[in-house]
Every structure is written in C-alpha cells, then in structure tokens.
Amino acid sequence: MAVISIYNNKGGVGKSTITVFLSDFFSSTRIAGKEARVAVVDLDSQSSSATSLMGIHAVAAAKSDKRSLTHLFKDINTGRKVRIADYLLKREKGRTQSRRIPLAELWVMTQERESAIDIESEWSQQKVVRLLRSLTGTLQKKFDLILFDTPANVDKRNKITMAALRTSDYIVIPSESSRMGVNGMTDTFNMIQYARAIENNRHPAPQTAGILLNKTDRRTRQYKLHHRELIDIAARHDTTLFKNYFPHAHTLSSAADDSLYFPTLREKYNTYYDHVRKAAVELAGRCGYKVRRIQK
Ligand SMILES: Nc1ncnc2c1ncn2[C@@H]1O[C@H](COP(=O)(O)OP(=O)(O)OP(=O)(O)O)[C@@H](O)[C@H]1O
Ligand SMILES: [Mg+2]
C-alpha cells in the first residue's frame, strides 16, 4: 500500500488527530486478506499522535533511550549496525471479551528535537531524502501503510518534513472551512510544490490525495462562506475536497487521552467512529486500493 503524509502548514487543524483516526481505522482492516500492518512516523517533536497512540511514558522512554527516527538516522550515519525494530514502539492489540472490534496492533516512531536540529543544520536535503527513502523502503517490506504526521509552520529548513513529503506517495491536507483555513492554503501548497521539486532519484513526486475538512459544521455561515473558496483552491492545485469530513466533537479530546484505556474502536470513538470509517475508506479509494472487512 502507500506512504501518506498528513500535512497542512497551519497549526491546530487536526493533523495529529486525523493521523490517530486513520491509523486506528486502517490497522483494524484487512489488506490483501491479511491484518493490515500500520506504522505511524510522528515527525513533530511535540509527539501528539505518538503520545495519543502509545502513552506518554513509552514516548518519553523512546526519546531518552535514543530510539527515535532522528537517532536512527544519526546511528546509521556513524556506521553503527541498526535494527529498525529497535526504533519502533508497538501498541498491543486491545483486550476485549466482547464481540466488538478491538483496537489493533500498530507501530510508532517518534522524533526528538535536539537530534533533529543537529541533522537539519548539518546535513544536506539530499542526504535526508536518501536516508528517509531507504527507511520507507525497508518499512514497506513489513508494513502495508506508513503515515507521517507532520508539524506545522515548516519551511525549507525543515529538511526532515520536506523529505517526508517528497518520499510520500500521497499527501492529505486536513483543513477547516474558515477564513483561517483558506489563508493557510497558500503556504501549504507552496511547501508541497517545493517538496515535489526535490530531486529524488526519479522517484515519482507525491500526489495530493485531497483536502479533508475537520471540525466541520455544514450548517454554519462560516462553512458555507468558505467551502466554495476551498473547492476553487483545491481545483487550482489539481485536487479536490473529500466528500466525507469530520464534524466538530468535544468528546474527541478523550479519544486522544493516553491515560484512558480503550479496548475497542467503538469505545474509543463511539458514534464518531462512522465518520472515521467513511473518511478512511474514501482516502483508501483516492489512493487506489480497497479496504476489506474489519476483523472481528
Ligand atoms: N473534529 C474535532 N472536533 C473537536 N476537536 C478537535 C477535532 N479535531 C481536532 N480537535 C482538537 O483540536 C486541537 C488541535 O488538533 P491537532 O493537535 O490534531 O492539530 P494539529 O494540526 O496536529 O496541530 P499542530 O499543528 O499543533 O500539530 C486538539 O486539541 C484536538 O483535540
Ligand atoms: Mg500535530
């Protein structure tokens, strides 16, 4: 399957939340008859999605034990023999006695700020792309789907995020249907264009899978006012808005709370799960593959 970046240069639009939704959903599906294996690479050193999926202690331990993406890069660079599995955190399958769909196994890699700064100030963009491409190549042997959660406010100096965009097959852009959502699009598409133009050994440039609206209430004036504009912006960049979207829901803050234990998808998302499922199935279709029955 694919390598997908969740990217919008604007902060707080739901990149990390949507990364968690998609990884939870896809890890509970079957791809080519087998339980899908999903890896999330959290490129934001704030580690929102990694923490939400793995818990704060596991993420803090990975960073202090030097088991992050950026430590992996540094270890490879110094010629050390590495096992990529040592840099991945594993979430065990949810334990449930009920017939409901348990939260499935998935894997997470984090990033650590200091080592990222070293890499981005000393290494060339080409070198970072080469290393990340080699990593995704290795991960793709083991995983069906790799999701990159990206940080906000990035520019050309953020070589790791630019490399992630460049080495992705698809980029999903979460946004809100608001004036600020519209304002964020110029920078976002500029950065995508910049990343697409980075030389990558004739590897195809990423496609934009579409703009996925989050925190959306279709009844509001704000939605109606800016929706049309977002459709036009998308069209100017050869893409479209997702048909499905994520409504604003206060209950979602608990779904991201790593101190609560949820054994099943339904317990985690309740009625919101249907929105997660529909948007994820639409994304799969946009990336050209079919999602099979969810395992029981
Ligand atoms: N559909 C939603 N309904 C209600 N709250 C939401 C929704 N989606 C995200 N949020 C909340 O909005 C805030 C920002 O979301 P999130 O951290 O996922 O955005 P982000 O784009 O990853 O932010 P950053 O740019 O800082 O990485 C969080 O508090 C999250 O819980
Ligand atoms: Mg985030």
Side-chain angles (χ1 to χ4, degrees):
M1 217 178 94
V3 182
I4 302 177
S5 279
I6 319 299
Y7 171 66
N8 184 326
N9 216 36
K10 180 168 157 35
V13 291
K15 297 180 286 295
S16 302
T17 305
I18 289 174
T19 303
V20 172
F21 290 173
L22 295 175
S23 59
D24 269 341
F25 175 82
F26 285 118
S27 59
S28 299
T29 60
R30 297 178 81 82
I31 293 175
K34 293 206 312 270
E35 289 181 16
R37 294 167 74 91
V38 176
V40 172
V41 183
D42 186 350
L43 295 179
D44 191 336
S45 42
Q46 285 180 27
S47 307
S48 304
S49 51
T51 303
S52 170
L53 291 165
M54 308 305 305
I56 196 155
H57 299 299
V59 171
K63 292 186 190 193
S64 63
D65 297 348
K66 301 191 183 327
R67 287 184 289 118
S68 70
L69 169 80
T70 34
H71 290 112
L72 169 64
F73 280 1
K74 286 187 131 193
D75 290 346
I76 293 171
N77 194 47
T78 52
R80 190 189 289 189
K81 205 161 163 41
V82 294
R83 276 188 24 196
I84 289 176
D86 293 340
Y87 300 79
L88 284 164
L89 301 168
K90 179 178 176 185
R91 182 180 79 177
E92 300 292 342
K93 192 168 181 162
R95 291 181 302 277
T96 169
Q97 268 80 52
S98 73
R99 286 173 56 78
R100 293 186 158 185
I101 302 157
L103 283 176
E105 272 179 5
L106 54 79
W107 287 261
V108 173
M109 197 179 275
T110 62
Q111 167 164 303
E112 190 269 332
R113 190 188 299 276
E114 292 303 318
S115 44
I117 292 172
D118 288 347
I119 287 172
E120 295 187 327
S121 54
E122 290 164 21
W123 298 7
S124 72
Q125 180 68 75
Q126 279 305 315
K127 179 169 171 174
V128 180
V129 168
R130 252 193 332 269
L131 272 165
L132 198 64
R133 200 184 60 226
S134 141
L135 174 67
T136 50
T138 307
L139 290 177
Q140 275 181 302
K141 291 188 192 130
K142 188 172 151 103
F143 296 102
D144 301 296
L145 174 65
I146 300 159
L147 293 172
F148 283 116
D149 179 17
T150 63
N153 301 316
V154 292
D155 58 41
K156 296 172 188 178
R157 291 167 297 183
N158 300 100
K159 294 171 188 163
I160 300 170
T161 301
M162 290 305 125
L165 295 178
R166 180 63 183 91
T167 51
S168 295
D169 301 306
Y170 295 95
I171 299 171
V172 178
I173 307 173
S175 180
E176 294 166 36
S177 187
S178 66
R179 167 57 60 204
M180 282 188 267
V182 168
N183 291 347
M185 285 297 154
T186 309
D187 263 0
T188 301
F189 280 108
N190 281 346
M191 282 298 108
I192 291 175
Q193 208 168 359
Y194 172 80
R196 283 174 60 95
I198 296 170
E199 171 54 35
N200 186 6
N201 207 13
R202 278 181 275 154
H203 235 68
Q207 293 178 37
T208 308
I211 297 174
L212 178 50
L213 290 183
N214 185 30
K215 306 187 192 180
T216 295
D217 182 344
R218 284 177 147 172
R219 295 163 302 185
T220 60
R221 277 179 60 215
Q222 197 184 33
Y223 170 84
K224 290 174 186 152
L225 194 60
H226 300 294
H227 185 239
R228 183 73 244 167
E229 211 173 339
L230 282 171
I231 292 175
D232 292 343
I233 293 172
R236 279 206 298 281
H237 294 91
D238 292 326
T239 189
T240 52
L241 259 61
F242 275 61
K243 184 162 70 64
N244 295 288
Y245 61 95
F246 295 114
H248 196 285
H250 295 292
T251 50
L252 285 182
S253 50
S254 67
D257 187 336
D258 67 295
S259 50
L260 296 171
Y261 176 66
F262 301 99
T264 70
L265 286 170
R266 279 283 174 197
E267 271 183 44
K268 190 166 178 183
Y269 294 108
N270 206 317
T271 52
Y272 201 85
Y273 178 63
D274 288 328
H275 296 288
V276 174
R277 179 177 54 77
K278 283 182 191 158
V281 169
E282 184 178 357
L283 171 64
R286 284 168 176 255
C287 299
Y289 72 93
K290 275 203 184 115
V291 174
R292 299 281 173 212
R293 174 178 73 82
I294 293 175
Q295 71 209 36
K296 285 275 177 321

